[in-house]
Amino acid sequence: QMMAAVTFVRILCCAGAGTARSVARPRHCGAQVQMVSTPLRSPSAVAAVTAVPPSSAPELDPVARFVDENPYIRRMLAYPVGFVSASNWLASSIYVAAKLRVFDALSHGPRTVAQIATEVDADVDALARLLRALGGQGPVPGVLIEVFDSPLPFAPAMLLPALPQLPFSAPRAPALIEESERRYALTPLGALLRTDAVGSMRPWAIFSGEELGRAWSNGLLEAVRNGKPDFGASQRAPASAAPSGFFEYMAAHADAGARFDASMEAVSEYAGIFDGLGLFDWSLGGRASTIVDVGGGTGTMLCAILKAHRTLRGTLFDRSEVLGRAPAVLQRAAPGVRERVELVPGSFFDAPSIPAGADVYVLKNIAHDWADDDAAR
């Protein structure tokens, strides 16, 4: 809806011969053009264009003028702008629930707030508020849903979602219920945030709420101001600490590095690239026998390639602290994969340390992490 509204406004302001932008600088005179709006009722009654004497004041962008002068447009756009601007509360709420393992507590069915609070060691009242927030807000579907026992005699054990109190809604939830006794269940979105879920997104939710979340909140403003991102400072490192980039910080903080690796393993499954691995012949028609995954992390992609090509041997090349976490991933790989992988530590900025003589070298999601000069090295 927001995109449709923005597009509608831009079309009204910028398209066609009769709009402000198309006649903003008429060639037949030196007059400026001003858009005078009427209350928005229909496209035909949107704006009138009149010539005004030249002015030394900068000309206001037609879109800005249009929005300023139309309360109906502002009302249409204010909610989505406000919701998106403040949506960090939603990301933080999902992070807290994932960190506390709320979704794990609901793995086997609906439970009351009191039961969940006991299991995850949280305050009952505060948790109740969090769970309500996670039940869906505005255009965002919920990761949880409140459920209650149906009062209908023909379905005593049926679990139904809590319905809005509309005249035609039946059955309805009890009018009064203690917060601690409200019951919640997982939605399909919430099911993906369980620790033991197939393809769990919990590691990504935690990394996003901790290191990545702090970077956006504490570091983005200064990075844009001075053009010098300092990931360490965004993590509230001591003021005396030397500026550090993302990977320097991960190398110096093992716990953060482990969370980053786990988050990358989680999102890699849904990146789409693995779906295409089987479409490419990584053996190059039998001419290739060795492949190096440069900056390959803990080996998720290399394992997928070696699983599809049993004649290939692979080298996983990354920093030593990252490779220290790779064996656990390799052990979960398909049978016969671990024996065909060699771990080689090093930096891809140090050319001599890159394994030489392989038939295929692959980099995934690497160059975008670095400044242009470094990416071109």
Side-chain angles (χ1 to χ4, degrees), residues 91-92 95-96 98-100 202-218 231 234-236 246 249-250 255-256 258-260:
S92 296
Y95 155 70
V96 169
K99 185 74 172 181
L100 291 176
R202 182 175 181 267
W204 173 254
I206 292 177
F207 178 70
S208 296
E210 296 188 357
E211 285 76 21
L212 205 56
R214 288 192 290 268
W216 295 130
S217 300
N218 305 329
F231 192 83
S234 74
Q235 305 301 303
R236 303 191 186 283
F246 178 87
Y249 183 87
M250 293 299 153
D255 290 345
R259 283 189 289 272
F260 171 65

Side-chain angles (χ1 to χ4, degrees), residues 86 157-158 247 363 374:
M158 182 186 298
F247 291 103
L363 296 89
D374 286 332

Side-chain angles (χ1 to χ4, degrees), residues 54 63 70 97 122 138 155 169 211 329 350:
V63 171
N70 281 284
S169 296
E211 285 76 21
V329 175
D350 177 22

Side-chain angles (χ1 to χ4, degrees), residues 1-3 5 74-86 139:
Q1 290 176 341
M2 181 178 181
M3 289 304 299
R74 294 199 301 276
R75 289 172 188 169
M76 182 168 57
L77 297 178
Y79 175 76
V81 169
F83 187 90
V84 172
S85 301

Side-chain angles (χ1 to χ4, degrees), residues 178-270:
E178 291 291 335
E179 287 291 334
S180 62
E181 296 306 311
R182 290 185 180 276
R183 301 171 69 227
Y184 288 89
L186 296 172
T187 67
L189 294 174
L192 268 177
L193 292 163
R194 294 172 296 128
T195 302
D196 60 353
V198 176
S200 173
M201 289 295 291
R202 182 175 181 267
W204 173 254
I206 292 177
F207 178 70
S208 296
E210 296 188 357
E211 285 76 21
L212 205 56
R214 288 192 290 268
W216 295 130
S217 300
N218 305 329
L220 183 59
L221 179 60
E222 288 305 312
V224 173
R225 277 177 170 167
N226 59 37
K228 299 177 181 179
D230 185 344
F231 192 83
S234 74
Q235 305 301 303
R236 303 191 186 283
S240 58
S244 62
F246 178 87
F247 291 103
E248 292 173 315
Y249 183 87
M250 293 299 153
H253 298 79
D255 290 345
R259 283 189 289 272
F260 171 65
D261 289 341
S263 72
M264 291 297 97
E265 294 167 20
V267 299
S268 289
E269 183 167 343
Y270 303 103

Side-chain angles (χ1 to χ4, degrees), residues 289-312:
S289 61
T290 55
I291 181 171
V292 177
D293 190 353
V294 180
T298 53
T300 305
M301 187 176 75
L302 183 60
C303 287
I305 293 175
L306 297 184
K307 177 182 177 182
H309 299 275
R310 298 183 181 277
T311 61
L312 288 179

